Amino acid sequence: MRIIIFDGRCGFCTGAVLFILRHDKRAVFHFAAAEKPAGQRLCQLHNLPGEPGSVVLLDDKGVHLGSEAVLRIAAGLGGVWRMASLLRIVPLKQRDALYRAFARRRYRWFGRRVGCTLPTAATRARFLDS
């Protein structure tokens, strides 16, 4: 199972989850908001901060953070999204610097939600705390 731990209060992160749900035709990704009990348990289990400052992907190859998580998620969506893997030619240090710069501004640009977005009946099974 591939699990994405995301910031459920971040407007951009919530939008990204909705995007993944729309494009993940094989339904390979499952989700855990970092603020919810399942997300907190996963963070503790993998020695991550209680609410990590970046998206986290847990898969059969391990724990992936930041830009590497994003590229692996895009590749997992298949189709044209796999082309995002070409960005691996950019060294990890530079990719993560860009990722962190974006992450620092995400609340300012996309807002902060009071609570997590509730999954629809059709997607509820893909959220670990629903």
Side-chain angles (χ1 to χ4, degrees):
M1 181 184 318
R2 298 177 195 173
I3 301 170
I4 297 170
I5 303 173
F6 68 100
D7 180 347
R9 293 183 296 233
C10 167
F12 178 81
C13 303
T14 300
V17 167
L18 295 174
F19 176 88
I20 295 165
L21 284 167
R22 246 187 345 271
H23 292 91
D24 182 15
K25 304 300 183 201
R26 297 173 293 142
V28 297
F29 292 108
H30 291 77
F31 305 92
E35 307 79 23
K36 299 276 190 158
Q40 292 173 349
R41 281 192 305 275
L42 287 167
C43 288
Q44 185 178 19
L45 180 66
H46 294 282
N47 296 317
L48 298 167
E51 291 185 24
S54 72
V55 65
V56 178
L57 173 65
L58 307 173
D59 65 14
D60 59 345
K61 299 212 177 13
V63 177
H64 312 283
L65 304 168
S67 67
E68 187 60 26
V70 171
L71 294 181
R72 286 177 180 267
I73 291 166
L77 293 176
V80 69
W81 305 111
R82 293 188 74 115
M83 290 177 49
S85 295
L86 296 173
L87 291 173
R88 283 201 176 95
I89 64 168
V90 177
L92 179 63
K93 191 173 183 177
Q94 281 80 20
R95 278 190 283 134
D96 277 347
L98 289 170
Y99 180 92
R100 284 189 305 276
F102 178 86
R104 279 192 305 272
R105 294 167 179 85
R106 69 181 192 248
Y107 291 134
R108 190 174 338 138
W109 293 342
F110 299 96
R112 182 186 285 257
R113 298 174 182 271
V114 175
C116 296
T117 300
L118 296 174
T120 65
T123 62
R124 188 166 288 128
R126 296 180 61 191
F127 287 80
L128 302 184
D129 267 327
S130 56

